Amino acid sequence: TVRFGGGALVCPPDEPGLGMRIFAWGLRDFSSDEEHAALPELSGWTGDLSANSQEFRFSLGGDSAGLRSALQDAAARFVHPSFREEDWPRSLEYARQQLAPYQNTAIGVAQGALLQRFSNHHPALAVPTIEMVGQRTLREFEDWFTPQLNSAPIEITLVGDFDSAAALDLVARTFGALPARAKGDPYAEQRRITYPPKPVSDTVAFS
């Protein structure tokens, strides 16, 4: 798992829903099919990119024989990213699936609304509507996501059956070769959540 950046913490308030369009990220000059063909060692590997309220998370899974190629591919996406037009509509369908519980179930509607009230409307905990997500453009996504790729701190977690010393060497040769990243936590202030000064009572309507 590769964790980096601020996720929904750094989503522009006037462009709600960008984090839900996160699918459209690949390797420059390669289509999805070409990328898989160029790295046959990744056959059987899966990858999922998401943005939560704290960070971006690129989760990869597969057999240890493909670890080198997986790290090479993941690191290359940081310096040679592609924002694929062909994946943009698919990212909207992904968002629709993720948002369905918040819009179609009583507990989801209540959870989305109550999180906002109890956190003094913290932007990272806002749940956008599918209409908001659909208004986002690929250019907005690229302008928002690129600075995170360029300088955000990166944390890598490896779990599985592999030689730890060899794996550490692979990480050093791939992610360790990236340009210097920001130090510390550049989003410490955005992570701060304030709570209402007195008990909150509200009614959430659902139909």
Side-chain angles (χ1 to χ4, degrees), residues 4 7-8 10-12 14-27 48-52 55-58 77 81-92 94-95 132-150:
F4 62 99
V10 293
C11 187
D14 58 342
E15 296 176 354
L18 272 179
M20 305 297 296
R21 305 300 297 269
I22 201 77
F23 257 41
W25 177 45
L27 189 59
D48 177 62
L49 179 67
S50 60
N52 60 34
E55 65 198 4
F56 298 102
R57 182 174 296 186
F58 189 33
R77 289 172 181 241
S82 170
F83 303 96
R84 297 168 174 157
E85 289 281 359
E86 64 266 28
D87 289 337
W88 194 240
R90 186 164 63 97
S91 71
L92 183 59
Y94 167 78
M132 292 176 179
V133 177
Q135 291 172 2
R136 305 281 63 84
T137 68
L138 184 59
R139 180 56 184 271
E140 287 175 340
F141 178 83
E142 182 175 355
D143 290 346
W144 168 62
F145 196 47
T146 299
Q148 302 294 303
L149 299 176
N150 289 341

Side-chain angles (χ1 to χ4, degrees), residues 17-198:
L18 272 179
M20 305 297 296
R21 305 300 297 269
I22 201 77
F23 257 41
W25 177 45
L27 189 59
R28 187 185 305 164
D29 299 328
F30 288 85
S31 67
S32 296
D33 291 340
E34 290 170 340
E35 189 173 345
H36 284 97
L39 295 168
E41 300 87 354
L42 295 184
S43 177
W45 274 68
T46 59
D48 177 62
L49 179 67
S50 60
N52 60 34
S53 62
Q54 299 291 317
E55 65 198 4
F56 298 102
R57 182 174 296 186
F58 189 33
S59 301
L60 296 161
D63 61 80
S64 58
L67 181 59
R68 178 189 298 273
S69 292
L71 290 172
Q72 289 174 334
D73 179 66
R77 289 172 181 241
F78 280 79
V79 289
H80 301 294
S82 170
F83 303 96
R84 297 168 174 157
E85 289 281 359
E86 64 266 28
D87 289 337
W88 194 240
R90 186 164 63 97
S91 71
L92 183 59
E93 182 55 34
Y94 167 78
R96 196 183 307 278
Q97 296 172 9
Q98 297 297 306
L99 289 173
Y102 291 99
Q103 299 179 337
N104 300 328
T105 66
I107 190 171
V109 172
Q111 183 182 25
L114 292 176
L115 275 175
Q116 281 290 280
R117 285 159 174 75
F118 293 159
S119 66
N120 272 340
H121 298 276
H122 193 286
L125 300 178
V127 179
T129 65
I130 191 61
E131 290 76 21
M132 292 176 179
V133 177
Q135 291 172 2
R136 305 281 63 84
T137 68
L138 184 59
R139 180 56 184 271
E140 287 175 340
F141 178 83
E142 182 175 355
D143 290 346
W144 168 62
F145 196 47
T146 299
Q148 302 294 303
L149 299 176
N150 289 341
S151 61
I154 298 173
E155 177 183 309
I156 299 172
T157 303
L158 299 178
V159 178
D161 181 18
F162 53 80
D163 180 271
S164 58
L168 183 60
D169 181 64
L170 287 175
V171 172
R173 291 173 180 271
T174 53
F175 281 90
L178 295 179
R181 323 297 292 181
K183 296 182 179 180
D185 183 4
Y187 316 111
E189 187 59 35
Q190 289 98 315
R191 294 186 200 280
R192 185 186 302 273
I193 295 178
T194 60
Y195 299 96
K198 56 185 179 180

